[in-house]
Amino acid sequence: MKKRGVFNNKILDAFFDDTDPDETREWLEALSSVVEEEGPERATWLLNRLTDIAQDQGLYRSHLHTPYLNTIDTRDEATFPGDMFMERRIRSLVRWNALATVMRANLNDDELGGHIASFASSATLYDVGLNHFFRAPTEEHGGDLVYYQGHSAPGIYAHAFLEGRINEEQLNNFRREVDGEGLSSYPHPWLMPDFWQFPTVSMGLGPIQAIYQAHVMKYLENRELIPSQQRKVWAFLGDGEMDEPESLGALSLAGREHLDNLIFVVNCNLQRLDGPVRGNGKIIQELEGLFRGAGWNVIKVVWGRLWDPLLERDTQGLLRRRMEECVDGEYQAYKKNGGAYTREHFFGKYPELKEMVADMTDEEIYALNRGGHDPFKVYAAYHAAVNHTGQPTVILAKTIKGYATGAGEAVNKAHQMKKLDLDSLKGFRDRFNMSFSDKELETLPYYRPDEDSAELRYLRERRKALGGSVPVRRRESETLPVPALSVFNTFLEGSGERELSTTMAFVRMLSAVIKEKGIGERVVPIVPDEARTFGMEGMFRQLGIYSAGGQKYQPEDAGQVMYYREDTKGRILEEGINEAGAMSGWMAAATSYSNHNLPLVPFYIFYSMFGFQRVGDLAWAAGDLQARGFLLGATAGRTTLNGEGLQHQDGHSHILSSTVPNCVSYDPAYGYELAVILQDGLRRMYGEQENVFYYITLMNENYVHPPMPDGAEEGIRKGMYLLREGKAGKGKKAAKRVQLLGAGTILREVEAAADILREQYGIEADVWSVTSFNELRRDGMDAERWNMLHPEDKPRQSWVAQCLEGRSGPVVAATDYMKIYADQIRPYISAPYKVLGTDGFGRSDSRAKLREFFEVDRRFVTLAALKALADAGELEVSVVSKAMQEFGISADKVNPARA
């Protein structure tokens, strides 16, 4: 008998478009012989050499993808271990209850929304995972971490309903959360802190978070802080979502670090919100090339098992050719238009293919299933993924958006579908064997079998075998010993005559915390390739830079004290020029208390301009995650970072940070302020386990730091304290007085202005250091709200009002940030209030020139104070005009906000 060639594990007699079948057969037989006799390694070596020679002759492969077939051959599929019929029944119940949940939420005019089509397409992908793979955390095992696709939340609720974790009342309150018994629209740990672990519905954030979650898990294992238990990080994603830069931007990290604890499952239903993802191409093939090029193990699950007999009969490769020819827009049309249309337009292009399905009915052709809806194919893919080593794995599963929803199946508007028409609802009921009558359908009943039913017993047995229910979230972990404030005594006592920046003060404080017993080992420094900028290179040798592969070279600076040392047990996460990745790594470390029952103390230091402005969506997600840790915005201040110019100079990060409700932000000027803030943050987050995270700006300007004034601690924490009090006067000779507020490095300009006012104008100034206008605003709003809701009680005072009570004179505030930053506290100041700030684009120059340009230097602070006194009738206006002449300030000076 004639020996046949092997192609993609499919035995072929010939190739449909082959011009020399005999030559092709010889090549394939030779390759098969090498595989059988010498093994796949030798065959791979020969193929690589052939590729090299071909390239030398100008022949290049134009793609990295494989044929449009399942990666795993039917002969290599792991055996499905479950009860197929019972699991289909459970899957049907979940599908029904998910559908009912969304439809019930839209029965009235509240227009609450919700999504049916996404979970309809991915139900099998989740079902197989929940029944066989997703391990829950136990005393003995840390459990797997699963990032559920946001729009599939109704299906996860429906599964939890069958388990008894969620009741009917909660399902009825889907998207009705205000009264406290509802279910959040999407995965939100802040709103359901015992249930959801990760917020994912902001497209693209799930993939990058999952990659860095796996990265940090390996980091912890290599540092021997958690045991190696073969835990997995699963991320369920949509094919349309993969267009987000965050979805693909970190793929190479996962491949480079061989993160075999990471599994992506991309639900390729071929549709995004408005229409096809790649109507004129194939998204699965495109994604395969991207992932394979980044070093991932790719498993395609394209065709269900009903296609297997047809592929087995495709001895000439014609069916495979037709599969390759069709684009996704056509595949969508085949499912939308039914079996007869598919017979004519898919199989009908070639007479041989049409003959292949001649004995099949239109219904049987329509029933030819896609791989992502076949539990046998999905199980085989998951089994291969969890057992694969040395690479991360992506599973590209082809599905149908709106699967089984009748009129909503595979239509462009499927994503917006909130309801089914009655005929579609009846079809859905019949397809999944629900026992409701037509009359009962009108009420959209939920269905949960009896507690002792075969379905619920099976469901509980499967979850028990995997450790318990998922998703589940740990709220608290062990507390860590918080260093006393005295650990930072050096900074509390001032710097003497030495000048240093707050950035350098922070680095020294960080070193002190690292040496503290009980908490030092948990400190995780994170930098995006700027450690030398921030003066942290001394930690390279001391702590080591984490590298999954260790250090396979001798660094060129090996002979120096502060050489570049990489180590598998290194502690610094040096994430490269990659703020989104570094932020994602920080988020993983900042939630380690929940995900690993291991509190970490991450300090992520970065160029402040490239923090919230660049990764604001991740910062919002960090709040939702209840992250605990420190973000350090270094080289901060629009006029303090001299020379760098428009793109680098930060004048608004504190405004952006204020939008995250549980982000506590500070702009300290002096080392003792920073020390109090750091120690208080450690107390709140690691002693009291409060769900906040800190954002602190640091500057690169060197100056002398004074000792901490007595009694300043409370004000530093609350956001404002009296730094320097003007001299008191008596009777008619009492000096005119102003209240000057300063923050960050501009505080020193404010102090200098106070001297000018006294020495040149005989005006006294009380100088206040404002460490956080954001915290002052929050405190003021709390007081306002309490007073509104307690009209008959004694009114509460804001901290600002308490500080300024009994103080005379107008108030002037100056910061290195936009005026809106200091202007936030205007409602809590009864006196006239003037604000100086750095509105406008930055530019390159010296600090002195920049502060003059933005009108925040000592001369402008003085001028603002004089004008405020003149406005109050305490000073002749001519004094203001004369001051402008003396200071060289022109009335025609360009407005920096528009320059």
Side-chain angles (χ1 to χ4, degrees):
M1 185 162 99
K2 184 169 65 175
K3 196 172 182 180
R4 294 180 292 178
V6 177
F7 187 83
N8 195 51
N9 286 341
K10 303 294 187 291
I11 298 176
L12 305 172
D13 283 322
F15 286 83
F16 183 77
D17 56 353
D18 195 347
T19 58
D20 191 343
D22 291 334
E23 182 182 35
T24 301
R25 189 172 295 109
E26 290 176 6
W27 277 88
L28 295 180
E29 287 176 354
L31 178 61
S32 298
S33 175
V34 173
V35 173
E36 293 172 9
E37 301 296 330
E38 301 182 59
E41 293 81 8
R42 172 63 179 169
T44 300
W45 188 92
L46 287 172
L47 288 174
N48 287 336
R49 299 294 75 73
L50 281 172
T51 300
D52 293 342
I53 293 172
Q55 290 178 352
D56 287 342
Q57 297 183 17
L59 305 174
Y60 297 92
R61 280 180 62 89
S62 60
H63 56 76
L64 289 173
H65 58 73
T66 59
Y68 199 56
L69 298 168
N70 293 345
T71 302
I72 303 173
D73 184 73
T74 55
R75 295 168 296 182
D76 300 324
E77 291 173 356
T79 303
F80 182 76
D83 183 326
M84 176 182 68
F85 299 103
M86 188 60 66
E87 292 195 19
R88 185 185 188 279
R89 175 61 177 163
I90 292 170
R91 191 160 58 250
S92 298
L93 296 176
V94 171
R95 285 183 182 277
W96 174 264
N97 288 320
L99 174 70
T101 297
V102 176
M103 289 187 65
R104 281 190 171 210
N106 291 275
L107 287 177
N108 54 32
D109 296 329
D110 288 346
E111 298 182 354
L112 294 176
H115 300 277
I116 293 171
S118 291
F119 181 72
S121 67
S122 58
T124 301
L125 301 177
Y126 288 112
D127 181 64
V128 173
L130 288 164
N131 284 331
H132 300 286
F133 292 96
F134 303 161
R135 294 168 295 182
T138 65
E139 290 295 324
E140 295 77 29
H141 192 275
D144 296 327
L145 302 176
V146 184
Y147 288 77
Y148 298 90
Q149 190 181 12
H151 294 104
S152 294
I156 309 306
Y157 292 142
H159 189 276
F161 172 63
L162 292 185
E163 287 186 90
R165 302 176 64 201
I166 288 175
N167 57 41
E168 275 197 31
E169 182 181 3
Q170 289 174 292
L171 290 182
N172 283 333
N173 285 310
F174 172 59
R175 296 195 168 208
R176 297 181 184 276
E177 301 175 79
V178 170
D179 292 332
E181 292 297 324
L183 301 176
S184 61
S185 52
Y186 304 116
H188 291 300
W190 185 265
L191 300 171
M192 297 180 67
D194 298 312
F195 192 84
W196 293 117
Q197 289 180 288
F198 310 108
T200 56
V201 80
S202 184
M203 299 289 96
L205 298 197
I208 195 168
Q209 284 185 80
I211 288 172
Y212 279 87
Q213 187 71 247
H215 168 62
V216 170
M217 186 186 290
K218 288 282 191 180
Y219 164 84
L220 295 176
E221 290 174 358
N222 283 326
R223 284 191 58 198
E224 300 179 0
L225 292 175
I226 62 173
S228 180
Q229 297 177 318
Q230 307 304 311
R231 297 168 65 192
K232 301 294 182 184
V233 177
W234 296 76
F236 285 79
L237 317 168
D239 48 357
E241 179 179 9
M242 300 310 291
D243 281 341
E244 290 283 2
E246 294 91 344
S247 296
L248 301 175
L251 295 187
S252 61
L253 168 77
R256 186 170 65 249
E257 295 202 349
H258 311 291
L259 297 181
D260 52 13
N261 59 341
L262 176 63
I263 300 171
F264 274 14
V265 181
V266 184
N267 175 20
C268 297
N269 59 33
L270 313 186
Q271 291 179 240
R272 50 191 177 202
L273 277 64
D274 290 336
V277 179
R278 295 290 186 274
N280 295 312
K282 284 190 179 68
I283 188 60
I284 287 178
Q285 301 297 81
E286 179 181 323
L287 291 176
E288 179 186 18
L290 289 168
F291 279 93
R292 196 178 295 283
W296 288 55
N297 173 43
V298 180
I299 300 176
K300 294 193 296 191
V301 187
V302 185
W303 309 107
R305 65 189 184 280
L306 297 181
W307 284 92
D308 289 345
L310 295 179
L311 287 166
E312 197 65 31
R313 290 161 52 194
D314 183 34
T315 56
Q316 291 188 315
L318 186 56
L319 176 58
R320 199 214 85 192
R321 173 175 175 166
R322 185 68 183 119
M323 290 172 168
E324 296 278 3
E325 288 174 345
C326 290
V327 295
D328 285 352
E330 292 176 298
Y331 281 116
Q332 184 181 351
Y334 298 145
K335 276 303 172 187
K336 170 64 175 67
N337 295 316
Y341 180 91
T342 304
R343 182 194 301 275
E344 183 65 27
H345 292 83
F346 179 77
F347 293 102
K349 180 172 182 179
Y350 298 111
E352 297 90 338
L353 289 186
K354 195 167 188 178
E355 178 62 27
M356 182 184 286
V357 296
D359 293 335
M360 295 177 68
T361 66
D362 291 344
E363 289 74 19
E364 288 173 329
I365 289 176
Y366 181 74
L368 290 169
N369 55 342
R370 293 183 180 175
H373 297 301
D374 190 323
F376 292 84
K377 302 294 185 182
V378 172
Y379 179 87
Y382 285 9
H383 184 273
V386 297
N387 288 287
H388 186 78
T389 59
Q391 290 175 292
T393 293
V394 60
I395 296 167
L396 303 173
K398 190 176 183 181
T399 64
I400 304 165
K401 192 151 190 174
Y403 177 75
T405 57
E409 185 172 88
V411 297
N412 282 334
K413 61 182 180 181
H415 189 80
Q416 279 70 37
M417 181 171 55
K418 320 296 180 192
K419 303 176 183 178
L420 298 189
D421 60 71
L422 187 58
D423 287 341
S424 294
L425 195 60
K426 289 177 180 178
F428 195 92
R429 172 200 63 188
D430 297 341
R431 181 166 184 167
F432 296 111
N433 302 313
M434 305 305 295
S435 59
F436 306 123
S437 66
D438 288 355
K439 183 67 176 175
E440 288 174 316
L441 277 184
E442 296 176 5
T443 66
L444 293 169
Y446 301 117
Y447 184 74
R448 186 173 186 270
D450 295 336
E451 286 294 335
D452 196 40
S453 65
E455 295 96 329
L456 294 195
R457 287 202 310 272
Y458 185 89
L459 184 65
R460 286 193 290 265
E461 287 169 3
R462 292 311 312 143
R463 288 313 315 162
K464 182 179 179 181
L466 292 165
S469 297
V470 292
V472 64
R473 181 181 176 278
R474 179 185 293 106
R475 284 199 191 205
E476 295 185 347
S477 186
E478 63 175 314
T479 59
L480 297 179
V482 177
L485 186 58
S486 58
V487 168
F488 306 121
N489 268 346
T490 301
F491 302 95
L492 302 180
E493 296 167 358
S495 64
E497 296 181 358
R498 286 182 301 115
E499 292 187 345
L500 73 158
S501 66
T502 51
T503 302
M504 285 310 304
F506 162 73
V507 172
R508 294 174 187 178
M509 290 180 202
L510 179 61
S511 297
V513 175
I514 288 172
K515 295 173 184 175
E516 283 293 298
K517 186 176 181 181
I519 194 172
E521 275 295 309
R522 304 295 181 86
V523 171
V524 181
I526 303 173
V527 288
D529 201 36
E530 290 282 3
R532 297 183 192 277
T533 303
F534 309 137
M536 296 176 65
E537 64 268 34
M539 293 184 175
F540 289 168
R541 190 185 73 162
Q542 176 192 359
L543 302 179
I545 298 163
Y546 173 69
S547 168
Q551 191 159 30
K552 301 175 182 178
Y553 65 96
Q554 184 179 43
E556 61 82 21
D557 56 357
Q560 300 177 16
V561 174
M562 296 183 289
Y563 69 92
Y564 196 84
R565 181 172 73 87
E566 298 187 73
D567 196 316
T568 54
K569 295 185 183 298
R571 294 178 59 180
I572 300 171
L573 289 175
E574 165 73 83
E575 303 295 11
I577 305 174
N578 180 8
E579 285 83 4
M583 183 67 179
S584 297
W586 178 85
M587 291 162 68
T591 52
S592 179
Y593 73 93
S594 178
N595 300 326
H596 305 295
N597 198 20
L598 181 83
L600 297 176
V601 188
F603 289 88
Y604 169 33
I605 183 169
F606 50 89
Y607 252 93
S608 65
M609 189 66 161
F610 307 136
F612 282 86
Q613 176 166 294
R614 177 165 288 190
V615 297
D617 205 4
L618 286 166
W620 185 257
D624 195 349
L625 277 167
Q626 297 156 71
R628 301 173 188 169
F630 294 92
L631 299 175
L632 291 309
T635 58
R638 184 150 286 158
T639 69
T640 304
L641 178 60
N642 57 324
E644 288 296 305
L646 185 150
Q647 192 65 52
H648 288 69
Q649 291 167 342
D650 167 31
H652 50 270
S653 66
H654 279 290
I655 298 161
L656 299 177
S657 71
S658 73
T659 64
V660 183
N662 53 340
C663 176
V664 182
S665 61
Y666 290 95
D667 183 32
Y670 293 124
Y672 65 82
E673 295 177 349
L674 178 58
V676 170
I677 292 164
L678 284 178
Q679 197 272 342
D680 193 53
L682 292 171
R683 175 189 63 81
R684 291 177 67 180
M685 292 185 285
Y686 301 100
E688 299 178 5
Q689 300 200 45
E690 189 176 346
N691 289 319
V692 296
F693 66 92
Y694 274 53
Y695 174 59
I696 305 170
T697 42
L698 306 172
M699 282 67 74
N700 66 340
E701 183 175 358
N702 295 319
Y703 46 82
V704 171
H705 293 243
M708 182 168 69
D710 292 338
E713 289 181 42
E714 182 183 19
I716 292 171
R717 291 193 295 267
K718 288 188 173 182
M720 175 178 174
Y721 68 97
L722 183 61
L723 176 65
R724 189 173 110 186
E725 190 166 20
K727 292 180 180 178
K730 294 182 180 180
K732 294 182 179 180
K733 294 184 178 180
K736 298 177 180 64
R737 183 175 291 267
V738 292
Q739 306 298 316
L740 300 184
L741 280 56
T745 53
I746 300 302
L747 174 60
R748 299 177 67 249
E749 295 295 322
V750 170
E751 291 181 83
D755 293 337
I756 294 172
L757 286 167
R758 172 184 290 169
E759 294 167 5
Q760 296 185 28
Y761 299 96
I763 298 169
E764 291 296 326
D766 298 329
V767 178
W768 302 82
S769 176
V770 179
T771 54
S772 179
F773 281 99
N774 288 343
E775 289 303 292
L776 291 178
R777 172 179 176 267
R778 288 172 177 174
D779 171 78
M781 290 193 301
D782 285 345
E784 274 188 329
R785 179 180 179 276
W786 193 93
N787 293 338
M788 179 181 70
L789 298 177
H790 300 82
E792 298 185 20
D793 293 340
K794 180 182 178 180
R796 292 182 177 177
Q797 276 190 306
S798 67
W799 181 250
V800 174
Q802 291 178 52
C803 289
L804 296 178
E805 187 174 22
R807 302 276 172 177
S808 61
V811 182
V812 177
T815 78
D816 217 359
Y817 296 87
M818 294 173 66
K819 292 178 181 179
I820 194 173
Y821 177 52
D823 204 57
Q824 296 179 99
I825 66 169
R826 184 176 296 277
Y828 319 117
I829 297 176
S830 57
Y833 185 45
K834 291 189 177 294
V835 171
L836 304 181
T838 57
D839 293 65
F841 287 117
R843 55 206 62 210
S844 301
D845 217 311
S846 66
R847 293 188 181 106
K849 294 293 290 184
L850 289 170
R851 287 167 185 168
E852 176 189 7
F853 175 79
F854 282 106
E855 303 170 3
V856 293
D857 67 2
R858 59 197 67 186
R859 297 174 306 148
F860 276 95
V861 176
T862 302
L863 182 64
L866 294 175
K867 182 63 166 64
L869 287 167
D871 290 344
E874 297 186 39
L875 199 68
E876 293 295 329
V877 175
S878 59
V879 175
V880 182
S881 298
K882 185 178 180 182
M884 290 179 64
Q885 293 176 354
E886 292 174 348
F887 293 154
I889 296 174
S890 170
D892 298 323
K893 178 182 179 295
V894 65
N895 184 346
R898 296 182 176 85

